[in-house]
Amino acid sequence: MMTKDQLKAALTVEQFPRSANYDPEWMIENEMGPSSVWLTEFLVEKMDLKPGMKVLDMGCGKAMSSIFLAKEFGVQVWANDLWISATDNLKRIKEAGVDDLVFPIRAEAHALPYAQEFFDAIISVDSYHYYGTDETFLLKFSKLVKPNGQIGIVVPGVKKEFEEDIPERLEPYWDNEWYTFHSPKWWSKLWRRSGVVDIEVADTMPEGWELWLKWETTAKASGRWQRNGDIELLTADDGEYFTFTRMVARRHEELEGRRSPAI
């Protein structure tokens, strides 16, 4: 098992200076996939968050992303997840000292209990690909954010789409739900077709594969990991396909009758 100092050193990454201020043991013990704190920092560097804004954190997992948003930007966050109970998340939120800013909710993505145009911004970290690949999802989802409000996601993705089937070397480690991993080009096409947003950012994380693998191998070496992880898949890929896709878009003033320009 790695010591706390060793873990801190291994998970201090120049690309994520804000994340370096968070307890690495806490990050690993509450993770449900790639580092949600790293991914949140990467996403919101392209978003206009200001203190007091109301933000929906869709698919927040164990609320680490929500806690990060509250601490770093002073925004109010509705920490929405289906798999983790609101009561469990509230405990973590209180321990982090942000229960005046973060409000846990348990709700399914297709049955959200929020008023239209309630939020100033929406984010989703390592979650949107589970429900947002539907051609019509963004049409309804965008109604929750105010006109000109931003919607930002960062999800596991690929640098390029698979030509046909997955490469043979990936087959032993493949799960069919990973067909939801897509490139910025793929997501851009889907979002443009919705006609309800203007796309501001569509890119991938610099050194995304390397950082993903670094997180997984460090978490495993720490002795604190509670899942099997994606090390074998990422190693077999050797950086050819896998990365993180980031999308940031701004909702139109009116949701009807407009098309989003190509980027």
Side-chain angles (χ1 to χ4, degrees), residues 66-67 70-71 92-103:
S66 302
I67 291 166
K71 282 181 171 289
R92 274 180 287 276
I93 291 162
K94 286 182 174 180
E95 288 172 350
V98 290
D99 51 305
D100 58 331
L101 290 175
V102 183
F103 316 110

Side-chain angles (χ1 to χ4, degrees), residues 8 17 19 51 53 64 78-79 90 97 128 131 144 147 154 167-169 172 177-178 181 185 193 204 207 224 239 262:
K8 181 75 172 177
S19 300
M53 291 177 77
M64 287 194 293
W78 276 254
L90 180 60
Y128 193 86
Y131 44 80
L144 301 180
V154 59
E168 184 176 344
R169 68 182 186 278
E177 72 176 19
W178 295 332
F181 294 0
K185 182 178 180 181
R193 284 177 169 177
T204 59
E207 300 182 351
R224 299 167 177 84

Side-chain angles (χ1 to χ4, degrees), residues 212-243:
W212 191 346
L213 186 59
K214 180 182 181 67
W215 172 261
E216 300 272 323
T217 53
T218 304
K220 182 176 181 179
S222 76
R224 299 167 177 84
W225 223 19
Q226 299 185 30
R227 63 184 182 91
N228 293 326
D230 306 313
I231 293 173
E232 291 180 327
L233 177 72
L234 293 170
T235 302
D237 176 55
D238 198 27
E240 182 178 359
Y241 286 98
F242 296 117
T243 185

Side-chain angles (χ1 to χ4, degrees), residues 7 11 20-21 34 47 62 70 75 86-87 90 110 133 156 158 161 165 168 187 211 226 230 232 238-239 245 248:
L7 192 57
L11 293 180
N21 296 320
M47 297 185 71
K62 294 185 179 180
V75 295
T87 300
L90 180 60
H110 298 88
T133 57
V158 290
E161 298 293 320
D165 294 328
E168 184 176 344
W187 281 107
L211 289 166
Q226 299 185 30
D230 306 313
E232 291 180 327
D238 198 27
T245 294
V248 178

Side-chain angles (χ1 to χ4, degrees), residues 26-244:
W26 175 77
M27 290 165 60
I28 290 175
E29 288 166 1
N30 291 297
E31 62 102 51
M32 297 175 65
S35 173
S36 64
V37 179
W38 286 2
L39 295 182
T40 305
E41 182 167 359
F42 173 62
L43 173 60
V44 299
E45 70 182 21
K46 295 296 185 180
M47 297 185 71
D48 305 324
L49 299 182
K50 297 178 176 60
M53 291 177 77
K54 296 191 290 290
V55 178
L56 172 60
D57 183 2
M58 187 65 207
C60 69
K62 294 185 179 180
M64 287 194 293
S65 51
S66 302
I67 291 166
F68 178 89
L69 291 172
K71 282 181 171 289
E72 298 298 320
F73 299 96
V75 295
Q76 300 178 74
V77 188
W78 276 254
N80 193 112
D81 201 79
L82 175 64
W83 297 341
I84 305 300
S85 79
T87 300
D88 289 346
N89 273 343
L90 180 60
K91 182 176 183 293
R92 274 180 287 276
I93 291 162
K94 286 182 174 180
E95 288 172 350
V98 290
D99 51 305
D100 58 331
L101 290 175
V102 183
F103 316 110
I105 302 289
R106 191 171 194 174
E108 203 274 330
H110 298 88
L112 297 173
Y114 308 111
Q116 292 185 14
E117 301 185 0
F118 180 75
F119 295 104
D120 297 294
I122 296 174
I123 78 152
S124 181
V125 173
D126 190 17
S127 167
Y128 193 86
H129 57 298
Y130 288 120
Y131 44 80
T133 57
D134 185 311
E135 294 279 351
T136 63
F137 184 79
L138 189 61
L139 293 172
K140 302 172 183 176
F141 193 56
S142 62
K143 294 179 180 179
L144 301 180
V145 71
K146 296 175 182 177
N148 293 315
Q150 287 180 306
I151 300 171
I153 69 169
V154 59
V155 290
V158 290
K159 300 172 185 175
K160 57 186 177 181
E161 298 293 320
F162 298 120
E163 293 293 332
E164 295 291 340
D165 294 328
I166 60 167
E168 184 176 344
R169 68 182 186 278
L170 300 182
E171 288 182 355
Y173 319 109
W174 187 256
D175 187 313
N176 282 343
E177 72 176 19
W178 295 332
Y179 280 117
T180 61
F181 294 0
H182 289 294
S183 66
K185 182 178 180 181
W186 188 96
W187 281 107
S188 295
K189 183 177 180 180
L190 180 71
W191 282 20
R192 285 198 308 270
R193 284 177 169 177
S194 75
V196 297
V197 296
D198 289 318
I199 299 169
E200 297 181 332
V201 178
D203 63 6
T204 59
M205 178 184 287
E207 300 182 351
W209 174 82
E210 292 88 347
L211 289 166
W212 191 346
L213 186 59
K214 180 182 181 67
W215 172 261
E216 300 272 323
T217 53
T218 304
K220 182 176 181 179
S222 76
R224 299 167 177 84
W225 223 19
Q226 299 185 30
R227 63 184 182 91
N228 293 326
D230 306 313
I231 293 173
E232 291 180 327
L233 177 72
L234 293 170
T235 302
D237 176 55
D238 198 27
E240 182 178 359
Y241 286 98
F242 296 117
T243 185
F244 296 104

